[in-house]
Amino acid sequence: MSNQNDLHFEEIMANRGFHHLYQPLYVLSSWKLLGYEALLRSSFFQDPESLFHLSMEKNRLYELETGSVIKAVSSFTLEPTNKLFLNIYPSTAIHPSFHLLLDHLPYPHHNIVFEINEGELIQDPKLLRSAVNRMKEKGYTIAIDDFGKGETSLSTALYLEPSFVKLDRYFATDLASSENKKKIIRILIDIFQKKKIKIILEGIEKPVDLAIAKALGVDIGQGYLLGMPKPISEIHGTRS
């Protein structure tokens, strides 16, 4: 099975054998469409995380992620007010060549939000902050992804000064019936709002959980209830 995955991986890398689905994010106070997150998919790997983990093992994560970023941006041609959320790992953000790529992305920089993925240990927070600040100087926006799931601590999230913090889907699941989750979200809202950081809650699947998220003061929502991930062609069709 490992050899089979290796062959699939090499084919993916050689031919950019992946595509993206785009999932909407909405401002809960107004139900205004904020933008879309580009989600990498491949017919060879049903679980996208398996593809990323394999690329890490082969020391080719940067190659995969930059290929994904270029393809996602090139495919995204919606309204100029839409933001496009793109996932990258910390090691990609600090890669010496990444900032050269950022100068040439064919989409307005101020409309692109880079989500720093929590699934990788941040070895040097100062180096990452420096990279994040350079991205901001180029006009890009920063988000922390899957907060509460992976490696990023509250102090690190505040240290990086993102515009958005995306709470892991764990917090959305059965939120209405969990006093502990409500309490944690209230605390995080209080902390992040003082820093003018907006909270995104992903993984919203039930109307009652959406209602509670809005009542708690969550800024932005994402999840199957609000919109399924779709090919860009289908999104164009719904807006034509």
Side-chain angles (χ1 to χ4, degrees), residues 81-175:
T81 55
N82 292 148
K83 292 191 179 297
L84 177 60
F85 287 72
L86 302 168
N87 290 275
I88 58 171
Y89 281 89
S91 59
T92 294
I94 66 174
H95 194 284
S97 299
F98 186 59
H99 293 277
L100 299 176
L101 170 67
L102 293 180
D103 288 331
H104 300 99
L105 288 183
Y107 200 77
H109 294 184
H110 65 275
N111 283 1
I112 293 179
V113 182
F114 281 106
E115 299 185 20
I116 307 297
N117 195 309
E118 266 209 310
E120 184 180 56
L121 179 64
I122 298 173
Q123 300 284 356
D124 188 339
K126 289 184 179 180
L127 183 60
L128 181 58
R129 178 170 173 165
S130 177
V132 163
N133 286 341
R134 288 178 64 190
M135 294 163 72
K136 292 178 183 177
E137 290 169 2
K138 294 176 187 291
Y140 294 103
T141 304
I142 303 299
I144 301 296
D145 191 23
D146 291 337
F147 184 83
K149 174 185 178 182
E151 301 289 349
T152 304
S153 66
L154 176 59
S155 60
T156 302
L158 293 172
Y159 180 65
L160 294 177
E161 297 183 322
S163 295
F164 303 99
V165 167
K166 182 179 281 190
L167 302 185
D168 182 66
R169 62 180 59 251
Y170 160 82
F171 291 101
T173 303
D174 297 324
L175 172 61

Side-chain angles (χ1 to χ4, degrees), residues 213-230:
K214 184 176 181 181
L216 289 172
V218 171
D219 299 291
I220 298 152
Q222 181 181 0
Y224 289 170
L225 179 66
L226 293 167
M228 298 289 289
K230 295 180 179 179

Side-chain angles (χ1 to χ4, degrees), residues 17-122:
F18 52 78
H19 60 280
H20 294 86
L21 301 180
Y22 295 83
Q23 187 174 33
L25 298 91
Y26 288 92
V27 179
L28 297 188
S29 61
S30 63
W31 301 117
K32 179 182 177 181
L33 176 68
L34 176 66
Y36 293 86
E37 179 182 359
L39 303 168
L40 185 143
R41 297 289 185 267
S42 169
S43 58
F44 293 123
F45 292 86
Q46 295 302 312
D47 178 9
E49 288 193 14
S50 298
L51 176 57
F52 282 105
H53 290 158
L54 186 56
S55 70
M56 290 179 184
E57 292 174 11
K58 294 180 174 295
N59 197 30
R60 297 179 70 180
L61 176 63
Y62 179 76
E63 182 182 351
L64 175 63
E65 289 211 295
T66 51
S68 174
V69 165
I70 292 169
K71 194 165 188 176
V73 171
S74 300
S75 303
F76 192 79
T77 55
L78 295 178
E79 298 296 326
T81 55
N82 292 148
K83 292 191 179 297
L84 177 60
F85 287 72
L86 302 168
N87 290 275
I88 58 171
Y89 281 89
S91 59
T92 294
I94 66 174
H95 194 284
S97 299
F98 186 59
H99 293 277
L100 299 176
L101 170 67
L102 293 180
D103 288 331
H104 300 99
L105 288 183
Y107 200 77
H109 294 184
H110 65 275
N111 283 1
I112 293 179
V113 182
F114 281 106
E115 299 185 20
I116 307 297
N117 195 309
E118 266 209 310
E120 184 180 56
L121 179 64
I122 298 173

